[in-house]
Amino acid sequence: MALIAVGALSMPAVAETIQVVVSGMPDDRGVLACSLHSDPAGFPDGASAVHATVAPQGGQGVCTFGGVAPGRYAVAVLHDANANGRLDTNVLGMPQERWGISIGPAPRLRAPRFDEAAFDMGADPLQLRIDLNP
């Protein structure tokens, strides 16, 4: 006798929007780069993320990610002051540009882990507020 598994019928996941409001930029030079990650292996700078860049205005910037299905995500942001597409560091590897993560303060002496920045996206739009590290 064979067992046949029948999955429960469910409604398709509704895609929503995540708005990331970033403050703490000392000026409006360069770009604000935001990345939305669903894979812990690619956080915080993996290529598998969805990326957005905006011009800062008044020391702030807003990145918007549309069509986001419910799930677990993390956001990393960078004020790329010289718009060279990467986080500039000194000879010791310490960041020379401001950056932050979606949940809580970012660690200062190492890259953040996915679980330190992760949040659960439900079926409703979400707004995150991130204040960049000085």
Side-chain angles (χ1 to χ4, degrees):
M1 176 180 227
L3 279 178
I4 299 174
V6 178
L9 295 177
S10 63
M11 298 293 292
V14 176
E16 283 297 343
T17 300
I18 298 175
Q19 183 182 55
V20 182
V21 179
V22 181
S23 60
M25 289 175 272
D27 54 50
D28 294 344
R29 293 179 299 140
V31 297
L32 173 65
C34 302
S35 57
L36 176 67
H37 301 260
S38 61
D39 181 3
F43 187 77
D45 55 4
S48 64
V50 178
H51 300 277
T53 57
V54 296
Q57 295 180 350
Q60 296 187 74
V62 178
C63 294
T64 302
F65 298 100
V68 181
R72 190 143 180 88
Y73 297 93
V75 171
V77 296
L78 164 66
H79 178 211
D80 187 5
N82 59 3
N84 67 352
R86 64 183 177 85
L87 173 66
D88 294 328
T89 59
N90 65 16
V91 294
L92 299 175
M94 300 300 294
Q96 297 297 294
E97 295 175 304
R98 293 184 181 204
W99 60 282
I101 58 175
S102 44
I103 303 295
R108 298 209 182 262
L109 300 177
R110 62 172 173 76
R113 295 185 310 267
F114 182 85
D115 63 337
E116 293 173 319
F119 59 92
D120 292 314
M121 175 71 180
D124 297 319
L126 180 66
Q127 184 181 71
L128 300 173
R129 294 189 175 279
I130 300 175
D131 190 30
L132 299 181
N133 281 341

